[in-house]
Amino acid sequence: MHDKLPMTKREFQSADDTGHNFSAGPSFADILEARMSRRSLLKGSLGLLSTAFFVPGLARGKDADRPDPPPPFTLRFNPVAKSLADRVVVPAGYTATPLYRLGDPINSSTPAYANDGTDTAASFQYRCGDHNDGMSYFGLDRAGKGWDAGNSERGILCINHENITRIFLHTPAEVAAYNVSARVAAEVDKEVHAHGVSVIEIQKQSGAFALHTASSFNRRITAATPCGLHGPARGHAQMVTAYSPDGTQTRGTLNNCANGDTPWGTYLSCEENWAGYFKSGVATHTAQEQLAMQRYGITSSNGSYGWANATPAGDLHERWNASVTHASANLDYRNIPNTFGWVVEVDPFNPSAAPRKRTALGRMGHESCNCAKVTAGKPLVFYMGDDAQNEYIYKYVSAANWDPADTSKGLAAGDKYLDHGSLYVARFNADGSGNWLKLDITEAAIAGYATYRFSDQADVLIHCRLAADALGATKMDRPEWAGIHPVNGDVYVTLTNNASRGSAGKGLDAANPRYYQDSKGGKAPSKGNVNGHIVRWRENGSDPTALSFVWDVYLFGAQAKADAANVNYDEAFYQAHINLSDLTDDNDFSSPDGLWFSRKTPGLMWLQTDDGAYTDVSNCMLLAALPGTVGDGGAVTVTSKGVPAHGDADQNVSTYVGKAPGDQLKRFLVGPKGCELTGITETPDGKALFVNIQHPGENTAAADIATPAHYESHYPDGGTARPRSTTLVITRNDGGPVGV
Ligand code: FEO
Ligand code: CA
Ligand code: CA
Ligand code: CA
């Protein structure tokens, strides 16, 4: 399907805005029934009610031993206005400076970036890749060898390169000749090398950060770099390929979206929309394999960029063909998609160490992977979203208890904590409680699942979406980043939007309660959960390993004037009240994606948008927030009005929404045209904030590649330059911490 789209980033961008979850799951009727039992508790009318939370068996109040101090600080900047300009807007008193742009060399022997499509494929093994995304900063110790979590002057940045804006990597003639079913190998190789991860050393020079091109830490990991397969699926029959007949290795990491880091100082890079890259050959597979491929969206006829169709072809191109072409799996690449879709651990301090794919954390469209508050002697817990329509939220609990002596042990610590543990999936109940369901072959619902017959626990992890279906997990509105409030341990997950919510079989539920339409300047209206929301929960007893939790919706995205402007009801339902968090012109936003808590300033949360719905009014943005706690708001009934002419009844969905943020949420930055704001980290002193301007100008038409005046964006270089994904450093002009 993507193959037919225009030759811009759009050819692939929609990959996470699609859904492949055909499982029945808990039906709308089940949820409605559960809700009816508590409807008498609510007044059934529109808007926020003062009804106190009441959840049988679970106290929604505060844990006596749970730290819950008032925010000791405020957001000390004036919010910036929404903007459609082709530039970065930051508050007065702040400066945003490009640090690392698409094509920048990471060593002194690679020439400067020409940025006209002539830069070679080989050189991209030593250049900044495209679509800078999730990233982490690791301070370097005095010897310049290991990790010093306190060094704000010199450190290593690990930066994901999620995808490419293909037309800006090639010459106008090459772009004009593009044919997805007959690719030129050198062009494919450049695209492969523009994916992956950058590991770069940065140093403060004359008070400002700069790339240290002479550093021995600098390296590019690409979609061709050898990676180890580790954990329960290592060596499994479903991981066998012609490259690795014993199923222990693969080449490349792909569509590296968001990220995480570990208490032992390594980087976690998460593979998101990898499924579309493969020439699937789905019809050549067994019936059960076909079902699994459909469930993961591995159905493309050519792969999104036709990498399997390169001439002259080599083994590195043939591996993108997942068809059954030979007598056995060790002779072809039928299993290659099973070696993608993982959390990948990278040791920033060991340039010769191959990345390790951690299969215990499950295979999905991984967004981020974030460690809960760490306690010595207790297991480590990581939270993860699977970003596609109607997918799930997961957590991983290590078998080993955390031993602080493992700090700085690198990938060996990863082997200990990330290869042995339990994977759970979340169910959000209508009464405001929730449960973690174990994805284990010994669970009766998994062992006896009729839709897909799991062979063993590795199969459960390779196909954890199917195992989660079997358990009846809650289908969410595209789970993106997770973040853990460092003071009270509340867990936040962005649900960016869901165009299918409210359609047949995708009913509303308490945790995904909105269906509406958003009209936009003469274009067809967006439908579903158009602007997204942020769910949060508190684990029972504030223990990250707990199997139950209480939840609410921290924040609903909306345009400030949504309730006045959107009264369209040509469909079955329209929602009468969209701006449920009372957003204003200072903080309204759509499609939350990046979410990250400052480590320097505990309780300061950053929020980034990847929007297509509100972009008639503003480019994507970065906001700062001081969120409260789970349960600080109240119960609300979200009313979707039926259209009388259609004979539809009203739908009332009861949910829980946090206290309206007011001035505890402010817009901090607006990006240039056609970009997404994504990726965020800071120096330990909080005085340098790093964020990424991803794919500025991505809506440029391929037909315009020879006409620079028609490019959507020229950011950051200006003039007639091709736009470049860019890592920014943001500082306060008086040298203070950013945001507060
Ligand atoms: Fe790559 Fe779901 O964002
Ligand atoms: Ca609108
Ligand atoms: Ca994202
Ligand atoms: Ca996104």
Side-chain angles (χ1 to χ4, degrees):
M1 175 169 66
H2 303 297
D3 305 332
K4 296 199 182 75
L5 293 172
M7 294 193 299
T8 72
K9 197 248 180 183
R10 288 289 176 199
E11 66 199 341
F12 195 53
Q13 187 203 26
S14 59
D16 53 359
D17 194 20
T18 54
H20 308 282
N21 193 344
F22 44 73
S23 71
S27 73
F28 184 40
D30 294 340
I31 290 164
L32 201 59
E33 190 178 3
R35 188 180 307 125
M36 293 298 271
S37 65
R38 45 168 289 107
R39 183 161 295 171
S40 60
L41 293 171
L42 301 166
K43 295 214 169 104
S45 64
L46 180 68
L48 193 64
L49 305 178
S50 56
T51 317
F53 282 112
F54 174 73
V55 180
L58 278 176
R60 285 198 79 94
K62 299 186 190 324
D63 295 344
D65 58 350
R66 183 167 179 266
D68 195 15
F73 50 84
T74 56
L75 300 174
R76 292 202 306 136
F77 61 91
N78 290 325
V80 299
K82 286 165 278 194
S83 167
L84 292 169
D86 190 30
R87 65 188 185 92
V88 170
V89 182
V90 290
Y94 283 88
T95 301
T97 310
L99 173 70
Y100 188 54
R101 304 159 298 177
L102 165 67
D104 279 344
I106 64 167
N107 60 26
S108 53
S109 55
T110 299
Y113 193 48
N115 196 24
D116 58 4
T118 62
D119 302 278
T120 64
S123 79
F124 256 94
Q125 296 171 96
Y126 308 99
R127 297 187 184 281
C128 176
D130 207 350
H131 285 212
N132 302 22
D133 205 319
M135 60 182 164
S136 296
Y137 175 94
F138 300 88
L140 266 166
D141 63 17
R142 269 175 183 275
K145 290 194 168 139
W147 188 31
D148 173 359
N151 191 346
S152 295
E153 306 292 313
R154 182 182 178 195
I156 296 175
L157 272 181
C158 295
I159 305 174
N160 289 345
H161 299 290
E162 184 187 33
N163 204 325
I164 55 173
T165 307
R166 188 178 49 76
I167 61 170
F168 291 128
L169 294 179
H170 303 299
T171 65
E174 289 166 343
V175 172
Y178 178 76
N179 179 353
V180 71
S181 54
R183 297 295 317 277
V184 177
E187 294 174 33
V188 168
D189 295 344
K190 192 192 293 191
E191 294 167 16
V192 166
H193 292 153
H195 283 72
V197 180
S198 283
V199 181
I200 54 169
E201 182 181 339
I202 58 171
Q203 294 184 359
K204 257 192 194 166
Q205 293 165 1
S206 313
F209 273 108
L211 175 63
H212 181 43
T213 51
S215 174
S216 60
F217 293 113
N218 294 355
R219 64 168 158 158
R220 280 296 319 287
I221 295 160
T222 77
T225 301
C227 296
L229 300 168
H230 289 257
R234 178 180 174 85
H236 192 267
Q238 294 182 41
M239 306 296 256
V240 168
T241 60
Y243 172 68
S244 180
D246 66 359
T248 61
Q249 309 285 319
T250 192
R251 285 171 296 188
T253 181
L254 190 58
N255 210 264
N256 304 76
C257 183
N259 65 304
D261 47 38
T262 66
W264 54 94
T266 61
Y267 182 67
L268 301 176
S269 182
C270 304
E271 299 180 319
E272 189 194 20
N273 289 310
W274 46 273
Y277 285 74
F278 299 97
K279 180 174 193 159
S280 68
V282 59
T284 65
H285 285 259
T286 67
Q288 169 143 314
E289 287 167 357
Q290 287 188 34
L291 179 129
M293 291 170 83
Q294 298 279 355
R295 184 66 186 79
Y296 276 82
I298 307 162
T299 55
S300 178
S301 50
N302 285 306
S304 44
Y305 300 116
W307 287 351
N309 302 330
T311 303
D315 187 57
L316 271 165
H317 306 113
E318 284 162 5
R319 74 192 167 114
W320 298 109
N321 183 356
S323 307
V324 177
T325 58
H326 287 71
S328 54
N330 61 335
L331 300 174
D332 62 23
Y333 287 98
R334 69 186 67 178
N335 286 329
I336 190 73
N338 294 336
T339 71
F340 290 84
W342 304 105
V343 172
V344 186
E345 187 179 13
V346 173
D347 187 345
F349 302 99
N350 186 353
S352 61
R356 295 185 179 177
K357 300 198 177 190
R358 299 297 183 186
T359 65
L361 280 70
R363 176 169 162 266
M364 63 190 79
H366 274 289
E367 189 69 24
S368 70
C369 183
N370 302 89
C371 192
K373 289 175 77 173
V374 173
T375 307
K378 301 276 190 184
L380 297 176
V381 175
F382 291 84
Y383 295 97
M384 302 173 284
D386 180 358
D387 181 13
Q389 292 176 1
N390 311 302
E391 293 301 342
Y392 306 120
I393 293 172
Y394 297 82
K395 83 170 173 185
Y396 169 82
V397 180
S398 69
N401 293 322
W402 172 241
D403 178 353
D406 289 328
T407 306
S408 292
K409 286 195 180 165
L411 298 178
D415 293 346
K416 177 177 176 182
Y417 295 103
L418 297 179
D419 284 348
H420 313 277
S422 300
L423 187 65
Y424 299 86
V425 65
R427 184 177 66 205
F428 291 81
N429 302 315
D431 65 0
S433 67
N435 303 95
W436 290 107
L437 313 173
K438 193 171 184 181
L439 293 158
D440 195 282
I441 189 71
T442 61
E443 296 288 320
I446 294 174
Y449 193 44
T451 304
Y452 181 94
R453 296 294 184 189
F454 293 97
S455 58
D456 49 27
Q457 181 61 16
D459 196 10
V460 169
L461 296 167
I462 294 168
H463 297 107
C464 65
R465 282 182 175 175
L466 284 156
D469 294 345
L471 295 177
T474 302
K475 298 168 183 173
M476 309 300 288
D477 286 344
R478 293 185 50 200
E480 300 258 19
W481 292 47
I484 295 90
H485 194 296
V487 179
N488 61 34
D490 288 350
V491 188
Y492 290 71
V493 171
T494 47
L495 301 166
T496 194
N497 58 57
N498 185 352
S500 78
R501 182 65 67 184
S503 62
K506 304 293 189 302
L508 308 177
D509 62 54
N512 303 275
R514 289 196 304 179
Y515 168 80
Y516 56 103
Q517 297 191 67
D518 177 67
S519 59
K520 181 166 142 177
K523 295 183 187 166
S526 306
K527 298 173 186 174
N529 178 7
V530 177
N531 302 118
H533 59 287
I534 301 168
V535 71
R536 65 181 169 185
W537 63 88
R538 184 200 316 160
E539 302 281 15
N540 198 15
S542 298
D543 175 358
T545 67
L547 298 182
S548 59
F549 56 89
V550 291
W551 63 268
D552 69 7
V553 175
Y554 159 55
L555 201 57
F556 285 97
Q559 56 187 103
K561 296 179 181 66
D563 298 333
N566 292 268
V567 190
N568 308 306
Y569 47 95
D570 55 323
E571 288 293 306
F573 294 99
Y574 74 93
Q575 192 169 305
H577 189 183
I578 294 167
N579 185 8
L580 292 156
S581 295
D582 296 335
L583 303 182
T584 68
D585 276 332
D586 288 339
N587 60 18
D588 62 342
F589 69 94
S590 175
S591 299
D593 189 340
L595 186 157
W596 190 77
F597 279 96
S598 168
R599 291 174 186 173
K600 168 63 181 172
T601 309
L604 171 62
M605 189 181 92
W606 295 98
L607 196 57
Q608 300 171 309
T609 69
D610 172 15
D611 187 39
Y614 199 21
T615 43
D616 52 335
V617 175
S618 183
N619 299 336
C620 288
M621 59 186 73
L622 168 71
L623 304 103
L626 300 174
T629 62
V630 172
D632 64 7
V636 63
T637 296
V638 179
T639 297
S640 295
K641 303 291 289 181
V643 180
H646 295 187
D648 299 319
D650 290 0
Q651 282 192 62
N652 295 305
V653 179
S654 301
T655 188
Y656 306 91
V657 62
K659 182 180 164 195
D663 63 4
Q664 307 283 280
L665 175 70
K666 289 182 184 176
R667 187 179 305 105
F668 181 82
L669 179 154
V670 182
K673 291 182 175 178
C675 82
E676 167 185 343
L677 261 293
T678 186
I680 183 160
T681 188
E682 69 189 355
T683 49
D685 61 9
K687 294 179 178 178
L689 185 73
F690 304 90
V691 301
N692 287 318
I693 302 297
Q694 190 191 48
H695 60 64
E698 69 155 351
N699 301 302
T700 303
D704 283 336
I705 191 64
T707 316
H710 291 183
Y711 296 172
E712 182 189 27
S713 171
H714 301 283
Y715 185 83
D717 300 334
T720 59
R722 294 178 173 203
R724 304 161 77 178
S725 290
T726 299
T727 300
L728 294 177
V729 194
I730 298 167
T731 52
R732 213 167 88 184
N733 297 348
D734 68 2
V738 176
V740 294

